[in-house]
Amino acid sequence: MSASHDLHHGHLKLQYEPCLPIPNGKVCLWLFLSTEIMFFAGLIGTYIVIRFGAPTGSWPRPEAVHLVEIIGAFNTFVLICSSVTIVLALEAAKKNAAESAKRWMWLTFFLGCTFLGVKAFEYKSKFAHGIYPQMPHSLIYEKPDVNYSAAVRTTLQDKSNQLSKEKTELGEAFHRDSELEQCQTMLVGMVKWSDLASVRAETSVEQHAAYENMAHVVYPAGSGAGHGMPTDDIANERKIRIKELEAVQTRKAGLLAEKKAADDKGQPVPLVDAELKTSEESDALLQARIKFLDLCSSSEAEEGLNHKFENEGTWLTLPMMIPSGNMWASTYFLLTGFHAIHVIVGLILFAYILPLRLDSKKAHLLENSGLYWHFVDLVWIFLFPLLYLF
């Protein structure tokens, strides 16, 4: 009875814990990171649905949008190293090795800046090739159609007008005749030729092919190829066009003789005049086409006309046809842009911490900023393979 009485009337001693057994700062950081995880999970999940939901062959390959895997891999390595250095800084701070902790933090800061520098270089490369997240700066067209043809024509016409104006102003000091001639050759031998081929096409497939061939010559990477028009195709078409030109010129000579004879007799020949005008237009068109084929056969144009102009100092960049290119650009700049903003926030945190004495009393600052930095690095670990490898 005595033992039973003690059990019923004994007092339990409870110890009250006023908060979670971790510092309040770390609790707030984890709450913040939980919202960030949901944010990036939504962005990355949406990208995965868009990317792998696209029909086969309709999503840009990394090289088509100037993504270099080795650069992305290097940036990944830089961030991984920065995660290591901030851990070493934390361990040094816990041991009261303030100077060592500061050295590791400076290295972390430098690696973060290196990552942003490489990303800025990549952005500059995209902008230089006309890849922007939206129009009107973007030179990407997703289908080879009349809209794409009109954009190429406008670009060439504007450049031709600019060069013609410079030639008028500079006179003999003008040394860009070759560029002006190339613009005029492409306007007639490529754009006008494709437009006429599309108009004369009997089926929608042939109509599509007319503009697709032009897009392929301008930027073959967008259509999934590494090179422009095959050399054999250029040679074969050139022979055909030369024969057509010879036939047109022979017919034009006959028409001129017929017109001269009629003029000598004072007789009007409207049908001959109309046919002669058509022959002259065909003559000019075929000559421009042959010049354009010669332009495409040069070694500099093997990887496309845009590649040729880039090697010549990027004096001209023509609109490109890249299936799903604008969607890719929008998602790429959105994902990497938000990630870069988070990297900048991390660097601001480091800039605040660096002037302090990083001993054991400040270890909690290093620990919390390290948690945030590891999260930023982890996000990039997901972004790198999704953007650069698939």
Side-chain angles (χ1 to χ4, degrees), residues 69-284:
E69 291 88 343
I70 190 65
I71 294 179
F74 171 76
N75 242 7
T76 305
F77 176 74
V78 166
L79 278 190
I80 291 174
C81 287
S82 69
S83 283
V84 174
T85 56
I86 198 169
V87 169
L88 293 174
L90 173 61
E91 292 302 314
K94 287 180 177 179
K95 296 176 182 177
N96 266 330
E99 292 301 319
S100 177
K102 183 161 289 192
R103 284 196 296 270
W104 286 119
M105 279 303 298
W106 271 113
L107 182 55
T108 305
F109 185 83
F110 171 76
L111 290 172
C113 291
T114 300
F115 176 87
L116 287 181
V118 173
K119 185 52 64 180
F121 170 78
E122 287 190 297
Y123 274 23
K124 184 180 179 181
S125 174
K126 308 292 178 296
F127 298 155
H129 291 89
I131 300 175
Y132 289 84
Q134 63 178 358
M135 301 296 284
H137 300 294
S138 176
L139 295 180
I140 297 174
Y141 285 78
E142 301 189 351
K143 294 188 296 184
D145 54 14
V146 66
N147 294 320
Y148 173 72
S149 177
V152 175
R153 184 191 305 107
T154 300
T155 302
L156 287 171
Q157 192 63 65
D158 290 345
K159 193 65 178 181
S160 181
N161 292 340
Q162 176 194 334
L163 293 173
S164 297
K165 183 179 179 181
E166 289 181 11
K167 185 174 183 179
T168 303
E169 294 174 349
L170 298 176
E172 295 183 357
F174 182 76
H175 300 294
R176 304 180 68 183
D177 294 286
S178 173
E179 296 175 6
L180 178 58
E181 183 181 0
Q182 287 183 60
C183 283
Q184 294 170 346
T185 295
M186 288 184 288
L187 272 170
V188 180
M190 181 179 71
V191 180
K192 186 176 180 180
W193 182 274
S194 299
D195 288 338
L196 289 174
S198 176
V199 169
R200 295 168 182 169
E202 297 180 356
T203 64
S204 59
V205 174
E206 293 177 354
Q207 187 179 36
H208 182 270
Y211 291 126
E212 188 172 37
N213 290 337
M214 177 174 66
H216 179 76
V217 171
V218 171
Y219 191 68
S223 55
H227 299 281
M229 192 182 298
T231 306
D232 292 341
D233 291 352
I234 294 175
N236 292 334
E237 184 180 349
R238 193 175 189 281
K239 292 178 182 178
I240 293 171
R241 303 310 168 206
I242 289 175
K243 289 182 180 179
E244 290 178 352
L245 179 61
E246 291 173 350
V248 167
Q249 291 178 339
T250 300
R251 178 56 181 160
K252 185 169 73 171
L255 291 170
L256 287 171
E258 188 176 343
K259 178 176 172 56
K260 185 177 184 304
D263 289 343
D264 291 341
K265 296 178 182 179
Q267 298 175 349
V269 281
L271 292 178
V272 172
D273 290 341
E275 189 174 351
L276 182 59
K277 182 180 180 181
T278 302
S279 296
E280 289 173 348
E281 291 175 352
S282 298
D283 188 337

